[in-house]
Amino acid sequence: MSDAKLFAYLVTLAYGDVDAPTLAQVVFLSDREAEDAGSVATFLLQNAQAQPPQMPRFDWTTLKVQGSQSLSQDELRKLVAAAAKGQVGVGRVSPLKLR
């Protein structure tokens, strides 16, 4: 097990229709203490498909759409592909306290 400290952030994503986007929340794990919307958006565009153990990364298993809905694997693949094309926005990044 690594001694590296991880920081968790709750990230709000927006995608789909520009006038009425779909909102989703996902946990973003980072080795940096000071992530913001810009740094997370850059990572999302460049590395949306990052999987463990790569850091930083999105924990796509935590994704919830419109508050409580989960996506099917096919829908999730489409979302990740859209993120890699810059078609998903980052609305808010909030630090999480893990206990």
Side-chain angles (χ1 to χ4, degrees), residues 37-61:
S39 64
V40 173
T42 298
F43 183 83
L44 181 64
L45 182 60
Q46 296 173 350
N47 301 291
Q49 298 181 32
Q51 296 297 318
Q54 181 178 344
M55 287 310 236
R57 69 178 179 87
F58 287 89
D59 184 353
W60 293 111
T61 64

Side-chain angles (χ1 to χ4, degrees), residues 17-79:
D17 186 346
V18 174
D19 294 326
T22 298
L23 298 179
Q25 292 184 316
V26 65
V27 173
F28 178 68
L29 301 172
S30 178
D31 50 5
R32 291 182 26 180
E33 188 173 8
E35 296 286 4
D36 59 22
S39 64
V40 173
T42 298
F43 183 83
L44 181 64
L45 182 60
Q46 296 173 350
N47 301 291
Q49 298 181 32
Q51 296 297 318
Q54 181 178 344
M55 287 310 236
R57 69 178 179 87
F58 287 89
D59 184 353
W60 293 111
T61 64
T62 66
L63 183 76
K64 295 295 179 200
V65 179
Q66 304 298 84
S68 63
Q69 301 172 21
S70 296
L71 296 180
S72 69
Q73 286 298 320
D74 188 50
E75 292 170 322
L76 180 57
R77 274 193 288 280
K78 289 177 184 175
L79 174 60

